[in-house]
């Protein structure tokens, strides 16, 4: 493992980082202890799954860890809305087991609606007889209105799924086209796209297929839907992720000496010109000494830091991220004056107004605090919600109630008695076509500055919260390797492909190698 890490990381300087730019530091309030420390100092910027994952492992290895959060609420943006946890999230499930907490529901049935009503019901796939992928996903899914012939037009897409193996070349091949173009090329029927596939893309990657990278949807589609029959099964937090997971997790780290500091917006970095290492993290007039730094922040936060930082704005790997984008999110939690029969606790909805995707959840079933309530408590989350964020709260309530009524008629006669609305501009990653070439790797042009997050390029194969957490562990491993202290975090790999998929991918690679040596495409064109 050590050898593997050394191959992927840049060469290191033999001498350790030292403080630079002393004349600037004199005007600031330094948080160094004034003398040599036996514990190496690691500063982590960001407190979502990536930042906390890195902090947890480095605390366990005896490092002096400080986590800086720019907001006044830890966990952002991973505490936005209701985010499900799919069956392949084995690293996260292992973590909560180690913490001795039980934050998740049992497996929850899901459904999908359009403006015409119920379209699809998804069973608990692991409870059914196992079929080779993708047969189980296709045949056990209950299509209420979709004709069989339309559902079968999804099968040719497996050709692209097999070809996309999460390598750099695969990403570059498919990232240049939209997911919508991909579905057209492989024969997906218009009805299947409009009623099923399109809405799933919109809530899975937070934007429409016309604005989503084909590479991103192939990666997500395989990881949580097609690799194994059980992969689409979901659990949900029995409360907010902050209350059920992050708070007990952070308490366990505080007990080991980890420091969590909120409202610390990073404005710059000091680095030593001789070694190229970051020596201090600057937050306004405060600085934090560091032997290593991990940036575990979203794209918009990083872009804000780059704009303010003379240190980062000189580096090409950071400047490229200025081309990346984020997505607006709106969450609407509603209390109704009566019980409404919601057949499934978790629901995906077609884009009624052709501009955003949305989901809604029966919190009476999912969250412990609302079980037994005499009224209906529901939350709806809207992605790519640019046009919704400016609306007044009362206007949003009217809109959301009308959307719900198109899915479940009983909402027409129910009255909203209370509401909570959250607006989160530029909060989630936008995997738009062509974005891959601008994304960062886990190592940077600074030898002791590392990156983590769901938008960081890695080869683990996971997505969403699991990918954020895994990249946090990978960043921690880079710190361990760089500082030459501690042990590596164990990362559970994604479950291997089924044998027939392995065979097909092997044949595909062999054919691709032959094709590069013999210009078959030119031959057939002639």
């Amino acid at each position: 493992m050590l050898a593997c890490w050394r191959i992927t990381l840049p060469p290191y300087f033999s001498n350790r980082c030292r403080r630079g730019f002393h004349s600037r530091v004199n005007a600031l309030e330094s948080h160094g202890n004034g003398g040599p420390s036996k514990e190496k100092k690691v500063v982590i910027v960001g407190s979502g799954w990536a930042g906390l994952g890195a902090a947890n492992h480095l605390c366990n290895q005896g490092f002096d860890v400080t986590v800086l959060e720019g907001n006044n609420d830890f966990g952002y943006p991973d505490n936005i809305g209701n985010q499900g946890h799919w069956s392949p999230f084995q690293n996260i499930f292992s973590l909560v087991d180690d913490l001795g907490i039980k934050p998740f529901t049992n497996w929850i049935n899901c459904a999908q609606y359009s403006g015409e009503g119920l379209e699809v019901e998804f069973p608990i796939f692991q409870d059914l007889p196992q079929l080779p992928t993708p047969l189980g996903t296709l045949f056990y899914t209950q299509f209420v209105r979709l004709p069989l012939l339309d559902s079968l037009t999804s099968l040719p897409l497996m050709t692209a799924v097999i070809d996309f193996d999460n390598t750099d070349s695969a990403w570059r091949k498919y990232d240049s086209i939209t997911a919508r173009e991909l579905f057209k090329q492989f024969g997906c029927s218009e009805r299947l796209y409009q009623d099923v596939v399109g809405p799933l893309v919109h809530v899975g990657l937070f934007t429409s297929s016309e604005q989503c990278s084909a590479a991103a949807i192939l990666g997500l589609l395989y990881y949580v839907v097609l690799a194994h029959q059980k992969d689409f099964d979901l659990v949900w937090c029995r409360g907010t992720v902050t209350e059920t997971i992050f708070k007990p997790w952070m308490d366990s780290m505080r007990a080991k000496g980890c420091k969590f500091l909120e409202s610390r917006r990073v404005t710059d970095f000091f680095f030593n010109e001789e070694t190229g290492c970051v020596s201090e993290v600057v937050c306004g007039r405060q600085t934090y000494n560091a032997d290593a730094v991990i940036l575990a922040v979203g794209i918009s936060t990083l872009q804000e830091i780059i704009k303010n930082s003379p240190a980062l704005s000189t580096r090409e790997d950071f400047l490229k991220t200025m081309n990346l984008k984020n997505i607006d999110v709106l969450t609407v939690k509603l209390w109704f004056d009566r019980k409404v029969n919601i057949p499934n606790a978790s629901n995906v909805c077609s884009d009624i107004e052709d501009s955003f995707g949305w989901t809604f959840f029966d919190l009476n079933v999912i969250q412990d605090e609302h079980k037994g309530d005499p009224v209906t408590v529901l939350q709806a989350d809207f992605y790519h919600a640019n046009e919704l964020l400016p609306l007044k709260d009362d206007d949003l309530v009217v809109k959301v109630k009308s959307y719900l009524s198109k899915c479940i008629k009983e909402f027409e006669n129910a009255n909203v008695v209370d509401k909570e609305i959250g607006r989160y501009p530029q909060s989630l990653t936008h995997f738009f076509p062509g974005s891959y070439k601008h994304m960062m790797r886990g190592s940077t042009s600074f030898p002791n500055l590392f990156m983590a997050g769901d938008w960081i390029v890695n080869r683990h194969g996971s997505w969403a919260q699991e990918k954020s957490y895994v990249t946090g562990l990978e960043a921690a491993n880079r710190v361990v390797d760089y500082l030459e202290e501690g042990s590596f975090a164990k990362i559970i790999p994604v479950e291997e492909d089924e044998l027939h998929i392995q065979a097909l991918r092997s044949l595909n690679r062999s054919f691709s190698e032959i094709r590069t040596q013999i210009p078959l495409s030119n031959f057939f064109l002639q």
Side-chain angles (χ1 to χ4, degrees):
M1 183 181 290
L2 180 61
C4 179
W5 279 107
R6 290 192 183 280
I7 289 172
T8 58
L9 297 178
Y12 300 123
F13 299 94
S14 59
N15 53 333
R16 290 291 174 245
C17 300
R18 295 173 297 205
R19 287 183 59 182
F21 302 99
H22 290 275
S23 59
R24 295 180 61 191
V25 176
N26 291 335
L28 302 171
E29 178 186 348
S30 177
H31 286 253
N33 58 14
S37 173
K38 293 182 181 179
E39 294 181 346
K40 295 294 176 62
K41 295 180 181 295
V42 182
V43 175
I44 298 171
V45 183
S47 63
W49 279 108
L52 295 183
N56 186 60
H57 181 70
L58 294 173
C59 280
N60 291 337
Q61 301 308 304
F63 291 98
D64 180 350
V65 179
T66 300
V67 178
L68 305 177
E69 173 55 56
N71 298 297
N72 56 8
D73 184 21
F74 291 98
Y76 185 85
D78 290 311
N79 54 6
I80 294 176
N82 278 319
Q83 300 185 32
H85 294 71
W86 280 288
S87 174
F89 285 16
Q90 292 303 308
N91 286 282
I92 288 180
F93 294 148
S94 176
L95 167 70
V96 300
D97 288 344
D98 291 342
L99 292 173
I101 59 176
K102 297 186 180 299
F104 297 124
T105 64
N106 294 324
W107 304 107
I108 294 285
N109 292 82
C110 302
Q112 188 166 326
Y113 289 86
S114 71
E116 303 297 323
L118 181 65
E119 293 286 348
V120 187
E121 287 188 300
F122 300 98
I124 306 300
F125 288 100
Q126 59 193 275
D127 293 341
L128 300 170
Q130 299 297 297
L131 297 176
T133 189
L135 298 182
T137 303
L138 180 62
F139 292 125
Y140 291 138
T141 299
Q142 300 298 308
F143 297 101
V144 177
R145 299 188 324 114
L146 188 73
L148 176 61
L149 288 178
D150 285 279
S151 66
L152 291 176
T153 62
S154 63
L155 287 175
L157 188 62
M158 280 300 295
T159 305
V161 170
I162 290 168
D163 189 45
F164 183 83
D165 56 3
N166 200 43
T167 59
D168 182 73
S169 59
W171 268 91
R172 294 184 183 279
K173 176 179 179 179
Y174 286 97
D175 190 56
S176 61
I177 63 173
T178 69
R180 182 70 177 108
E181 290 172 314
L182 178 78
F183 297 138
K184 286 183 177 180
Q185 287 179 16
F186 286 89
C188 177
S189 77
E190 186 64 20
R191 186 163 181 181
L192 175 65
Y193 170 76
Q194 292 291 344
D195 293 346
V196 182
V197 178
L200 287 177
V201 172
H202 216 144
V203 301
L205 287 172
F206 319 123
T207 191
S208 67
S209 297
E210 289 82 4
Q211 301 179 65
C212 180
S213 159
I217 195 56
L218 284 172
L220 180 67
L221 184 67
Y222 188 68
Y223 178 62
V224 299
V225 180
L226 296 175
H228 308 90
Q229 181 177 301
K230 66 180 185 299
D231 288 348
F232 197 64
D233 291 340
L234 280 159
V235 294
W236 302 87
C237 282
R238 298 187 354 248
T240 66
V241 68
T242 299
E243 292 290 337
T244 58
I245 300 178
F246 288 168
K247 283 191 174 180
W249 192 12
M250 290 167 63
D251 287 342
S252 72
M253 285 187 266
R254 285 191 182 98
K256 301 168 188 173
C258 185
K259 296 174 284 294
F260 294 93
L261 305 178
E262 62 184 15
S263 300
R264 299 297 199 277
R265 255 176 220 286
V266 173
T267 54
D268 203 357
F269 300 87
F270 292 166
F271 68 97
N272 185 287
E273 290 183 325
E274 182 181 345
T275 64
C277 293
V278 173
S279 57
E280 294 175 77
V281 179
V282 183
C283 299
R285 295 187 61 81
Q286 298 174 319
T287 66
Y288 299 89
N289 296 340
D291 295 293
V293 178
I294 295 173
L295 289 181
V297 296
I299 290 167
S300 60
T301 300
L302 179 62
Q303 290 172 338
E304 182 181 347
I305 294 173
I306 294 170
K307 289 176 184 178
N308 295 323
S309 169
L312 297 192
S313 62
T314 62
R315 303 301 176 102
E316 185 178 355
D317 52 346
F318 285 94
L319 289 175
K320 282 186 175 182
T321 65
M322 300 304 292
N323 295 304
L324 299 175
K325 303 174 184 177
N326 280 98
I327 289 171
D328 296 342
V329 180
L330 172 75
T331 66
V332 180
K333 185 175 180 180
L334 300 176
W335 284 257
F336 291 87
D337 62 354
R338 67 195 66 188
K339 278 288 189 181
V340 175
N341 179 34
I342 303 174
N344 296 279
S346 170
N347 303 276
V348 174
C349 302
S350 295
D351 188 357
I352 293 172
E353 296 195 356
D354 198 29
S355 55
F356 52 80
W358 65 292
T359 55
F360 70 92
F361 306 92
D362 185 351
L363 300 188
N364 298 106
V365 173
I366 292 175
Q367 295 189 354
D368 290 349
E369 68 171 302
H370 298 300
K371 288 182 178 178
D373 283 2
V375 298
T376 297
V377 186
L378 174 149
Q379 180 164 318
D381 297 337
F382 296 84
Y383 302 103
H384 205 275
N386 314 49
E387 66 186 62
L388 298 178
L389 293 191
L391 296 178
K392 295 180 180 179
D393 288 0
D394 290 343
D395 293 333
L396 283 172
V397 170
V398 172
K399 271 186 173 290
V400 174
K401 186 174 180 292
S402 70
Y403 298 155
L404 291 169
S405 299
K406 292 181 179 179
C407 299
I408 299 175
K409 295 295 184 183
E410 289 182 48
F411 279 109
E412 291 180 351
N413 300 318
N415 298 310
V416 175
V417 295
D418 201 0
K419 62 182 179 296
E420 287 181 7
I421 294 176
R423 295 173 175 83
Y424 305 97
Q426 300 297 294
S427 56
L428 297 179
T429 304
H430 185 185
F431 295 94
F432 61 90
S435 59
Y436 177 75
K437 61 180 176 289
H438 304 301
M439 292 181 177
M440 296 188 71
R441 274 57 177 170
S443 299
T444 73
S445 54
F446 296 95
N448 68 333
L449 175 59
F450 308 104
M451 305 298 298
D454 73 338
W455 60 279
I456 300 302
V457 174
N458 79 340
R459 301 302 169 209
H460 181 261
S462 53
W463 276 86
Q465 305 98 300
E466 175 82 350
K467 181 181 178 183
S468 292
Y469 179 52
V470 166
T471 58
L473 296 180
E474 291 175 340
N477 284 344
R478 288 182 167 93
V479 170
V480 167
D481 188 61
Y482 172 73
L483 295 177
E484 299 181 344
E485 293 183 12
S487 301
F488 291 106
K490 294 180 179 178
I491 300 174
I492 302 172
V494 173
E495 186 178 354
E496 289 187 356
D497 296 333
E498 293 180 6
L499 291 177
H500 65 291
I501 299 297
Q502 292 183 35
L504 289 172
R505 282 192 162 160
S506 178
L507 285 172
N508 182 64
R509 283 191 293 269
S510 298
F511 179 74
S512 296
E513 290 173 2
I514 294 173
R515 189 170 52 188
T516 59
Q517 299 173 20
I518 303 175
L520 292 176
S521 57
N522 292 336
F523 174 80
F524 287 120
L525 285 173
Q526 294 173 356

